[in-house]
Amino acid sequence: MPSSAIKNFFKRETPEEQPTWLILLGIVSIAIYAFSRTGFMDAAEISSAIATLTGFWGLYKYGKVVNSHILFRFIWVALIFQFISWALSVYVTPEWARETPQLDKITRWFTFIPLAWWVAQRKNAVWLIWGSAALGILISPWVTGEGIPEIIRGLNGERVFFGLRQAQHTSLFFGIILIGLLCFARKIMSINKWLTIPLVLTILYCLLVIYINSSRQAWLALLLTAFFMASYFTIKRFKRATGKQKFVTITLFLFGTISLGSLVATNETIVDRVMEERQSLSAIVTLDFDDVPYTSFGIRLHSWAAATDFIKEKPIFGWGSNGRTLVMKHTEWLPNWVQKDFGHLHNTYIEMLVNFGIVGLIFYLFMWVYMTKSLFKEIHRGTIERSIGYFYMSFLCFWSIMNCFEAYQNFWTGVFYFTVFMTGIQAKIWRAKYLI
């Protein structure tokens, strides 16, 4: 290839000069990845590779407008503190350190960056991506699970999860879809009023799966998210209401809250699942932590207590990417069967502190602060619809609570949905800020 051709090949151009076929290739490959990740791994691996590689090329060739974006600096910061954490581990506790640094543990969170570039190129591409991911999950009972027979067993009291790793991960997926459907219900119905029927049926389907899945953390997270969003809309309505309207607003809020609470408190299945932890809860209330039994929640509580010793010893940069495993394997007072069967701490924030210290946790929180600030800046400008903001707020609330009881951010399930969600959010921000 002549030098002039090589020079032109790597010459940076504007977003308007991107070939349509390349944009469509990127968007379609992301949609295939979003749909197939949970049930068709071969297709997901190929499509994700295409989407990521072409996305990086698109950013280099046509993405000069986002060159100085802080997200790229986030990647470098993540690489640096992960390397420092590993190096300190090798220096201080070489017998427990990994032979090589695992620099992908945090940086993989940012695979949404090249994907977001393609999605930002078309106005409605985000709905295709989010819809594809939702559809892939909705059909999972018949792809990774056993279909109707498994659903029937769930209705008969068996805890089912349709092959989506574990019950907690299934509840995460269907909970996020449920939240999305509720946030975008008005938008869906505005397309065609007949879409109301499949919308309602899909919402009921998600509720059914979450119910028979029997994940207490999902029930808690959804209830708190509903309360948070209902409080937000009540306060918003209250500020604009007149005297009589204010009374009606508060009355409806209290009535809805009490009704939902009563419905939950009188449901036999929910009560029975919660009461399974009554000994653990009683011990916690009396501050008698040593007597907390090793139930599902009890194991979590004991592992968190064990983690505090490790956090105190290396609070700044942590123990490296295998810190969570070290806690479970080298805490002598934990029972042998717990040490053998559990290799992590069931809490994203505690695992972050153990693995990468205060620096890692601050980095994680700052990432969310930055994304929140960027999104709502564009919403206030009127360039992004408010329903996206409602979805973001609901997702963040639900996600944050769920990660208190499971380290989703360290499993492919959490990374997958985090990537899909952030791809859509960042695409909306970039399109509003640079490409409209």
Side-chain angles (χ1 to χ4, degrees):
M1 184 181 292
S3 59
S4 59
I6 296 176
K7 185 177 180 181
N8 288 331
F9 182 76
F10 288 102
K11 179 183 177 181
R12 308 199 72 178
E13 299 176 359
T14 64
E16 291 74 21
E17 295 175 280
Q18 295 179 101
T20 301
W21 69 267
L22 186 58
I23 295 174
L24 294 179
L25 174 64
I27 293 174
V28 170
S29 60
I30 297 169
I32 294 174
Y33 164 71
F35 171 77
S36 62
R37 179 60 182 90
T38 51
F40 308 95
M41 273 305 301
D42 291 340
E45 289 178 0
I46 296 171
S47 58
S48 65
I50 294 173
T52 304
L53 292 174
T54 58
F56 277 121
W57 170 250
L59 279 169
Y60 168 78
K61 180 74 172 176
Y62 308 102
K64 191 175 182 180
V65 291
V66 298
N67 252 12
S68 61
H69 202 278
I70 193 173
L71 284 177
F72 297 108
R73 299 191 184 100
F74 272 39
I75 297 176
W76 285 109
V77 172
L79 288 170
I80 291 170
F81 77 71
Q82 285 181 102
F83 183 82
I84 292 174
S85 178
W86 170 79
L88 289 174
S89 182
V90 170
Y91 179 74
V92 179
T93 52
E95 69 279 9
W96 288 355
R98 292 186 182 274
E99 294 182 359
T100 57
Q102 307 293 308
L103 302 181
D104 66 318
K105 296 300 182 180
I106 305 296
T107 48
R108 65 180 178 175
W109 299 352
F110 297 96
T111 53
F112 71 84
I113 296 176
L115 308 187
W117 176 255
W118 288 138
V119 178
Q121 306 307 311
R122 291 293 183 267
K123 180 180 179 181
N124 293 317
V126 63
W127 306 114
L128 173 64
I129 306 307
W130 283 349
S132 297
L135 181 60
I137 295 299
L138 292 173
I139 66 171
S140 61
W142 292 270
V143 177
T144 55
E146 302 172 26
I148 296 298
E150 189 171 5
I151 294 176
I152 292 175
R153 294 204 306 272
L155 290 171
N156 290 329
E158 181 180 330
R159 195 178 184 193
V160 297
F161 59 94
F162 310 119
L164 294 174
R165 186 174 175 84
Q166 290 177 345
Q168 294 90 342
H169 299 262
T170 303
S171 61
L172 173 76
F173 284 157
F174 279 87
I176 291 172
I177 294 173
L178 174 63
I179 288 171
L181 291 172
L182 293 173
C183 289
F184 300 125
R186 179 179 295 182
K187 183 178 182 66
I188 294 171
M189 290 185 291
S190 68
I191 298 174
N192 189 309
K193 64 180 181 180
W194 292 106
L195 289 176
T196 303
I197 297 175
L199 172 64
V200 172
L201 291 176
T202 307
I203 289 174
L204 293 175
Y205 169 53
C206 289
L207 286 170
L208 172 65
V209 170
I210 294 169
Y211 178 70
I212 65 177
N213 181 253
S214 299
S215 178
R216 288 167 299 213
Q217 66 198 60
W219 296 343
L220 175 64
L222 284 173
L223 286 172
L224 291 179
T225 301
F227 179 78
F228 169 72
M229 294 305 296
S231 300
Y232 169 79
F233 286 116
T234 299
I235 294 172
K236 185 178 178 182
R237 173 63 180 168
F238 188 83
K239 289 180 178 179
R240 295 184 300 177
T242 59
K244 187 176 181 180
Q245 291 174 334
K246 289 182 177 180
F247 174 76
V248 173
T249 300
I250 294 298
T251 301
L252 289 174
F253 172 74
L254 293 175
F255 177 77
T257 302
I258 294 172
S259 298
L260 181 60
S262 300
L263 181 64
V264 171
T266 56
N267 184 280
E268 185 176 345
T269 299
I270 295 177
V271 171
D272 288 344
R273 275 291 287 158
V274 173
M275 290 305 291
E276 289 178 8
E277 297 289 351
R278 60 183 180 278
Q279 287 182 288
S280 297
L281 296 175
S282 298
I284 293 171
V285 169
T286 58
L287 301 180
D288 191 7
F289 296 107
D290 291 335
D291 288 337
V292 174
Y294 282 85
T295 57
S296 177
F297 179 69
I299 292 171
R300 285 170 166 81
L301 187 65
H302 285 297
S303 67
W304 299 342
T308 58
D309 294 330
F310 282 74
I311 294 170
K312 291 175 183 177
E313 192 167 342
K314 291 185 178 181
I316 307 301
F317 287 101
W319 292 78
S321 59
N322 63 331
R324 62 178 190 166
T325 304
L326 296 177
V327 172
M328 301 305 294
K329 299 302 181 185
H330 296 282
T331 300
E332 296 181 356
W333 53 264
L334 286 174
N336 290 333
W337 66 272
V338 173
Q339 292 180 321
K340 180 180 178 181
D341 296 338
F342 295 88
H344 66 102
L345 304 174
H346 297 88
N347 184 302
T348 290
Y349 315 108
I350 294 177
E351 288 197 4
M352 189 70 64
L353 283 169
V354 171
N355 289 352
F356 304 110
I358 296 173
V359 171
L361 183 60
I362 291 176
F363 177 84
Y364 175 78
L365 297 176
F366 183 73
M367 176 184 64
W368 279 108
V369 170
Y370 173 78
M371 292 297 294
T372 303
K373 183 179 178 180
S374 299
L375 176 65
F376 282 91
K377 181 179 180 181
E378 297 303 322
I379 291 175
H380 291 152
R381 286 179 55 205
T383 54
I384 295 179
E385 55 268 46
R386 289 186 177 275
S387 59
I388 295 292
Y390 300 147
F391 181 47
Y392 182 90
M393 292 164 58
S394 302
F395 178 98
L396 182 57
C397 183
F398 179 72
W399 175 264
S400 299
I401 297 169
M402 291 288 281
N403 273 282
C404 289
F405 304 98
E406 186 62 77
Y408 295 105
Q409 204 83 12
N410 292 322
F411 291 97
W412 74 263
T413 49
V415 172
F416 165 62
Y417 244 82
F418 174 85
T419 299
V420 171
F421 174 74
M422 285 298 199
T423 293
I425 296 299
Q426 189 57 49
K428 279 286 186 180
I429 295 171
W430 272 347
R431 182 168 181 83
K433 195 171 183 178
Y434 300 113
L435 302 175
I436 291 180

Short mmCIF file of all heavy atoms in Angstrom, two decimals, residues 96 294-295 298-300 302-304 306-307 309-310 322-346:
data_model
loop_
_atom_site.label_atom_id
_atom_site.label_comp_id
_atom_site.label_asym_id
_atom_site.label_seq_id
_atom_site.Cartn_x
_atom_site.Cartn_y
_atom_site.Cartn_z
N TRP A 96 0.76 -14.61 48.85
CA TRP A 96 -0.67 -14.56 48.53
C TRP A 96 -0.96 -13.82 47.24
O TRP A 96 -2.11 -13.78 46.79
CB TRP A 96 -1.45 -13.90 49.67
CG TRP A 96 -1.55 -14.76 50.90
CD1 TRP A 96 -1.13 -16.04 51.05
CD2 TRP A 96 -2.15 -14.39 52.15
NE1 TRP A 96 -1.39 -16.49 52.30
CE2 TRP A 96 -2.03 -15.50 53.02
CE3 TRP A 96 -2.77 -13.24 52.62
CZ2 TRP A 96 -2.51 -15.49 54.32
CZ3 TRP A 96 -3.25 -13.24 53.93
CH2 TRP A 96 -3.12 -14.35 54.76
N TYR A 294 -25.16 -19.75 60.31
CA TYR A 294 -24.62 -19.70 58.96
C TYR A 294 -25.70 -20.05 57.93
O TYR A 294 -25.61 -21.02 57.19
CB TYR A 294 -23.42 -20.64 58.84
CG TYR A 294 -22.17 -20.06 59.45
CD1 TYR A 294 -21.91 -20.19 60.81
CD2 TYR A 294 -21.26 -19.35 58.67
CE1 TYR A 294 -20.78 -19.64 61.38
CE2 TYR A 294 -20.12 -18.78 59.24
CZ TYR A 294 -19.89 -18.93 60.59
OH TYR A 294 -18.76 -18.36 61.15
N THR A 295 -26.72 -19.19 57.91
CA THR A 295 -27.76 -19.26 56.88
C THR A 295 -27.26 -18.46 55.68
O THR A 295 -26.12 -18.00 55.64
CB THR A 295 -29.06 -18.66 57.41
OG1 THR A 295 -28.80 -17.30 57.83
CG2 THR A 295 -29.59 -19.44 58.60
N GLY A 298 -26.60 -15.17 57.01
CA GLY A 298 -25.58 -15.32 58.05
C GLY A 298 -24.19 -15.49 57.48
O GLY A 298 -23.21 -14.93 57.99
N ILE A 299 -24.07 -16.28 56.40
CA ILE A 299 -22.78 -16.46 55.75
C ILE A 299 -22.26 -15.12 55.22
O ILE A 299 -21.07 -14.80 55.35
CB ILE A 299 -22.89 -17.48 54.59
CG1 ILE A 299 -23.16 -18.88 55.16
CG2 ILE A 299 -21.61 -17.50 53.76
CD1 ILE A 299 -23.49 -19.90 54.11
N ARG A 300 -23.16 -14.35 54.63
CA ARG A 300 -22.78 -13.03 54.13
C ARG A 300 -22.26 -12.16 55.27
O ARG A 300 -21.21 -11.52 55.17
CB ARG A 300 -23.98 -12.35 53.46
CG ARG A 300 -24.33 -12.89 52.08
CD ARG A 300 -25.66 -12.33 51.59
NE ARG A 300 -25.86 -12.54 50.18
CZ ARG A 300 -26.28 -13.66 49.63
NH1 ARG A 300 -26.54 -14.71 50.40
NH2 ARG A 300 -26.45 -13.77 48.32
N HIS A 302 -21.04 -12.98 58.26
CA HIS A 302 -19.77 -13.45 58.79
C HIS A 302 -18.61 -13.14 57.84
O HIS A 302 -17.52 -12.78 58.28
CB HIS A 302 -19.83 -14.95 59.08
CG HIS A 302 -20.62 -15.30 60.32
ND1 HIS A 302 -20.24 -14.90 61.58
CD2 HIS A 302 -21.77 -16.02 60.48
CE1 HIS A 302 -21.11 -15.36 62.47
NE2 HIS A 302 -22.05 -16.04 61.82
N SER A 303 -18.85 -13.29 56.54
CA SER A 303 -17.78 -13.00 55.57
C SER A 303 -17.46 -11.50 55.55
O SER A 303 -16.30 -11.11 55.39
CB SER A 303 -18.19 -13.47 54.17
OG SER A 303 -19.26 -12.72 53.65
N TRP A 304 -18.49 -10.66 55.75
CA TRP A 304 -18.24 -9.21 55.80
C TRP A 304 -17.42 -8.87 57.04
O TRP A 304 -16.53 -8.00 56.99
CB TRP A 304 -19.56 -8.45 55.81
CG TRP A 304 -20.40 -8.68 54.58
CD1 TRP A 304 -19.98 -9.19 53.39
CD2 TRP A 304 -21.80 -8.44 54.44
NE1 TRP A 304 -21.02 -9.28 52.51
CE2 TRP A 304 -22.16 -8.83 53.12
CE3 TRP A 304 -22.79 -7.94 55.28
CZ2 TRP A 304 -23.48 -8.73 52.65
CZ3 TRP A 304 -24.09 -7.82 54.81
CH2 TRP A 304 -24.42 -8.21 53.50
N ALA A 306 -15.32 -10.86 58.50
CA ALA A 306 -13.96 -11.33 58.23
C ALA A 306 -13.22 -10.34 57.33
O ALA A 306 -12.02 -10.11 57.49
CB ALA A 306 -14.02 -12.71 57.56
N ALA A 307 -13.95 -9.73 56.39
CA ALA A 307 -13.33 -8.79 55.45
C ALA A 307 -12.81 -7.54 56.15
O ALA A 307 -11.83 -6.94 55.69
CB ALA A 307 -14.33 -8.41 54.37
N ASP A 309 -11.12 -7.21 58.83
CA ASP A 309 -9.73 -7.38 59.27
C ASP A 309 -8.77 -7.15 58.11
O ASP A 309 -7.71 -6.54 58.28
CB ASP A 309 -9.53 -8.76 59.87
CG ASP A 309 -10.31 -8.97 61.16
OD1 ASP A 309 -10.53 -7.96 61.87
OD2 ASP A 309 -10.71 -10.11 61.45
N PHE A 310 -9.13 -7.64 56.95
CA PHE A 310 -8.27 -7.47 55.77
C PHE A 310 -8.27 -6.01 55.30
O PHE A 310 -7.23 -5.49 54.88
CB PHE A 310 -8.76 -8.39 54.64
CG PHE A 310 -8.35 -9.82 54.79
CD1 PHE A 310 -8.97 -10.63 55.73
CD2 PHE A 310 -7.34 -10.35 54.02
CE1 PHE A 310 -8.60 -11.95 55.89
CE2 PHE A 310 -6.95 -11.68 54.17
CZ PHE A 310 -7.58 -12.49 55.11
N ASN A 322 -7.41 -10.64 43.84
CA ASN A 322 -7.84 -11.87 44.50
C ASN A 322 -8.12 -11.67 45.99
O ASN A 322 -8.21 -12.64 46.75
CB ASN A 322 -6.78 -12.97 44.32
CG ASN A 322 -5.45 -12.60 44.98
OD1 ASN A 322 -5.12 -11.42 45.08
ND2 ASN A 322 -4.70 -13.60 45.41
N GLY A 323 -8.29 -10.42 46.40
CA GLY A 323 -8.50 -10.13 47.82
C GLY A 323 -9.71 -10.82 48.40
O GLY A 323 -9.67 -11.36 49.52
N ARG A 324 -10.80 -10.84 47.66
CA ARG A 324 -12.03 -11.44 48.18
C ARG A 324 -11.84 -12.93 48.45
O ARG A 324 -12.39 -13.47 49.41
CB ARG A 324 -13.17 -11.22 47.19
CG ARG A 324 -12.95 -11.87 45.82
CD ARG A 324 -14.13 -11.67 44.92
NE ARG A 324 -14.02 -12.47 43.71
CZ ARG A 324 -15.03 -12.68 42.87
NH1 ARG A 324 -16.21 -12.15 43.12
NH2 ARG A 324 -14.87 -13.41 41.80
N THR A 325 -11.05 -13.61 47.59
CA THR A 325 -10.79 -15.03 47.79
C THR A 325 -9.90 -15.25 49.01
O THR A 325 -10.10 -16.22 49.77
CB THR A 325 -10.11 -15.62 46.54
OG1 THR A 325 -10.93 -15.38 45.40
CG2 THR A 325 -9.88 -17.11 46.71
N LEU A 326 -8.95 -14.36 49.22
CA LEU A 326 -8.06 -14.48 50.38
C LEU A 326 -8.84 -14.42 51.69
O LEU A 326 -8.53 -15.13 52.64
CB LEU A 326 -7.01 -13.36 50.34
CG LEU A 326 -6.02 -13.39 49.17
CD1 LEU A 326 -5.08 -12.18 49.23
CD2 LEU A 326 -5.22 -14.69 49.17
N VAL A 327 -9.84 -13.54 51.73
CA VAL A 327 -10.65 -13.43 52.95
C VAL A 327 -11.31 -14.76 53.28
O VAL A 327 -11.27 -15.23 54.43
CB VAL A 327 -11.74 -12.34 52.78
CG1 VAL A 327 -12.69 -12.36 53.97
CG2 VAL A 327 -11.10 -10.97 52.64
N MET A 328 -11.91 -15.39 52.28
CA MET A 328 -12.64 -16.63 52.52
C MET A 328 -11.71 -17.81 52.80
O MET A 328 -12.07 -18.71 53.57
CB MET A 328 -13.54 -16.95 51.31
CG MET A 328 -14.55 -15.86 50.98
SD MET A 328 -15.61 -15.40 52.38
CE MET A 328 -16.54 -16.91 52.62
N LYS A 329 -10.54 -17.82 52.22
CA LYS A 329 -9.64 -18.97 52.37
C LYS A 329 -8.70 -18.86 53.57
O LYS A 329 -8.20 -19.88 54.05
CB LYS A 329 -8.79 -19.13 51.09
CG LYS A 329 -9.60 -19.38 49.83
CD LYS A 329 -10.47 -20.62 49.94
CE LYS A 329 -11.25 -20.87 48.66
NZ LYS A 329 -12.20 -22.00 48.78
N HIS A 330 -8.47 -17.65 54.05
CA HIS A 330 -7.45 -17.48 55.10
C HIS A 330 -8.02 -16.87 56.40
O HIS A 330 -7.25 -16.39 57.22
CB HIS A 330 -6.30 -16.61 54.58
CG HIS A 330 -5.56 -17.24 53.44
ND1 HIS A 330 -4.64 -18.24 53.62
CD2 HIS A 330 -5.64 -17.02 52.11
CE1 HIS A 330 -4.16 -18.61 52.44
NE2 HIS A 330 -4.75 -17.89 51.50
N THR A 331 -9.33 -16.88 56.55
CA THR A 331 -9.93 -16.49 57.83
C THR A 331 -10.18 -17.77 58.62
O THR A 331 -11.10 -18.54 58.32
CB THR A 331 -11.26 -15.73 57.61
OG1 THR A 331 -11.00 -14.54 56.84
CG2 THR A 331 -11.88 -15.34 58.95
N GLU A 332 -9.36 -17.99 59.62
CA GLU A 332 -9.34 -19.28 60.31
C GLU A 332 -10.63 -19.60 61.06
O GLU A 332 -10.97 -20.78 61.24
CB GLU A 332 -8.15 -19.33 61.27
CG GLU A 332 -6.80 -19.26 60.57
CD GLU A 332 -5.64 -19.32 61.54
OE1 GLU A 332 -5.91 -19.35 62.77
OE2 GLU A 332 -4.48 -19.34 61.10
N TRP A 333 -11.33 -18.57 61.54
CA TRP A 333 -12.51 -18.86 62.34
C TRP A 333 -13.75 -19.19 61.51
O TRP A 333 -14.79 -19.58 62.04
CB TRP A 333 -12.81 -17.72 63.31
CG TRP A 333 -12.92 -16.34 62.71
CD1 TRP A 333 -11.94 -15.41 62.63
CD2 TRP A 333 -14.09 -15.75 62.13
NE1 TRP A 333 -12.40 -14.26 62.03
CE2 TRP A 333 -13.73 -14.45 61.72
CE3 TRP A 333 -15.40 -16.18 61.92
CZ2 TRP A 333 -14.63 -13.57 61.10
CZ3 TRP A 333 -16.30 -15.31 61.31
CH2 TRP A 333 -15.91 -14.04 60.92
N LEU A 334 -13.66 -19.02 60.18
CA LEU A 334 -14.78 -19.43 59.34
C LEU A 334 -14.81 -20.96 59.25
O LEU A 334 -13.76 -21.59 59.15
CB LEU A 334 -14.64 -18.84 57.93
CG LEU A 334 -14.94 -17.35 57.76
CD1 LEU A 334 -14.61 -16.90 56.34
CD2 LEU A 334 -16.40 -17.03 58.09
N PRO A 335 -15.99 -21.57 59.26
CA PRO A 335 -16.08 -23.03 59.15
C PRO A 335 -15.43 -23.52 57.85
O PRO A 335 -15.43 -22.82 56.84
CB PRO A 335 -17.59 -23.29 59.14
CG PRO A 335 -18.19 -22.10 59.82
CD PRO A 335 -17.32 -20.94 59.46
N ASN A 336 -14.91 -24.73 57.88
CA ASN A 336 -14.23 -25.29 56.71
C ASN A 336 -15.14 -25.35 55.49
O ASN A 336 -14.70 -25.09 54.37
CB ASN A 336 -13.70 -26.69 57.04
CG ASN A 336 -12.54 -26.66 58.02
OD1 ASN A 336 -11.81 -25.67 58.10
ND2 ASN A 336 -12.37 -27.73 58.79
N TRP A 337 -16.40 -25.70 55.71
CA TRP A 337 -17.29 -25.84 54.56
C TRP A 337 -17.58 -24.49 53.92
O TRP A 337 -17.81 -24.40 52.70
CB TRP A 337 -18.59 -26.54 54.97
CG TRP A 337 -19.46 -25.77 55.94
CD1 TRP A 337 -19.39 -25.80 57.29
CD2 TRP A 337 -20.53 -24.89 55.61
NE1 TRP A 337 -20.34 -24.98 57.85
CE2 TRP A 337 -21.07 -24.41 56.83
CE3 TRP A 337 -21.10 -24.45 54.41
CZ2 TRP A 337 -22.13 -23.52 56.88
CZ3 TRP A 337 -22.16 -23.56 54.46
CH2 TRP A 337 -22.67 -23.11 55.67
N VAL A 338 -17.56 -23.41 54.70
CA VAL A 338 -17.74 -22.07 54.15
C VAL A 338 -16.50 -21.67 53.35
O VAL A 338 -16.60 -21.12 52.24
CB VAL A 338 -18.02 -21.05 55.27
CG1 VAL A 338 -18.03 -19.61 54.71
CG2 VAL A 338 -19.34 -21.35 55.95
N GLN A 339 -15.32 -21.95 53.90
CA GLN A 339 -14.08 -21.65 53.20
C GLN A 339 -13.99 -22.39 51.88
O GLN A 339 -13.47 -21.87 50.89
CB GLN A 339 -12.88 -22.00 54.08
CG GLN A 339 -12.72 -21.14 55.31
CD GLN A 339 -11.52 -21.55 56.14
OE1 GLN A 339 -11.24 -22.74 56.29
NE2 GLN A 339 -10.80 -20.58 56.68
N LYS A 340 -14.51 -23.60 51.86
CA LYS A 340 -14.41 -24.44 50.66
C LYS A 340 -15.43 -24.05 49.60
O LYS A 340 -15.10 -24.03 48.40
CB LYS A 340 -14.60 -25.90 51.06
CG LYS A 340 -14.50 -26.87 49.89
CD LYS A 340 -14.70 -28.31 50.36
CE LYS A 340 -14.64 -29.28 49.18
NZ LYS A 340 -14.84 -30.69 49.63
N ASP A 341 -16.65 -23.73 50.03
CA ASP A 341 -17.76 -23.55 49.07
C ASP A 341 -17.98 -22.11 48.63
O ASP A 341 -18.69 -21.87 47.65
CB ASP A 341 -19.06 -24.09 49.67
CG ASP A 341 -19.00 -25.60 49.91
OD1 ASP A 341 -18.17 -26.26 49.26
OD2 ASP A 341 -19.78 -26.10 50.75
N PHE A 342 -17.40 -21.15 49.34
CA PHE A 342 -17.65 -19.74 49.01
C PHE A 342 -16.32 -19.03 48.75
O PHE A 342 -15.44 -19.01 49.60
CB PHE A 342 -18.41 -19.05 50.14
CG PHE A 342 -19.79 -19.60 50.37
CD1 PHE A 342 -19.99 -20.68 51.22
CD2 PHE A 342 -20.88 -19.06 49.70
CE1 PHE A 342 -21.25 -21.20 51.41
CE2 PHE A 342 -22.16 -19.59 49.88
CZ PHE A 342 -22.34 -20.66 50.74
N GLY A 343 -16.23 -18.42 47.57
CA GLY A 343 -14.99 -17.77 47.19
C GLY A 343 -15.09 -16.27 47.06
O GLY A 343 -14.15 -15.62 46.60
N HIS A 344 -16.24 -15.71 47.46
CA HIS A 344 -16.37 -14.26 47.37
C HIS A 344 -17.28 -13.76 48.48
O HIS A 344 -17.82 -14.56 49.27
CB HIS A 344 -16.89 -13.83 46.00
CG HIS A 344 -18.29 -14.29 45.70
ND1 HIS A 344 -19.36 -13.46 45.80
CD2 HIS A 344 -18.78 -15.50 45.31
CE1 HIS A 344 -20.47 -14.12 45.47
NE2 HIS A 344 -20.14 -15.36 45.19
N LEU A 345 -17.48 -12.44 48.55
CA LEU A 345 -18.08 -11.81 49.74
C LEU A 345 -19.52 -11.35 49.56
O LEU A 345 -20.10 -10.77 50.48
CB LEU A 345 -17.22 -10.61 50.16
CG LEU A 345 -15.74 -10.93 50.42
CD1 LEU A 345 -14.95 -9.65 50.68
CD2 LEU A 345 -15.62 -11.87 51.61
N HIS A 346 -20.12 -11.58 48.40
CA HIS A 346 -21.52 -11.24 48.18
C HIS A 346 -21.83 -9.76 48.46
O HIS A 346 -22.89 -9.44 48.98
CB HIS A 346 -22.44 -12.12 49.04
CG HIS A 346 -22.35 -13.58 48.71
ND1 HIS A 346 -21.43 -14.40 49.29
CD2 HIS A 346 -23.06 -14.36 47.85
CE1 HIS A 346 -21.59 -15.64 48.83
NE2 HIS A 346 -22.55 -15.64 47.94
#
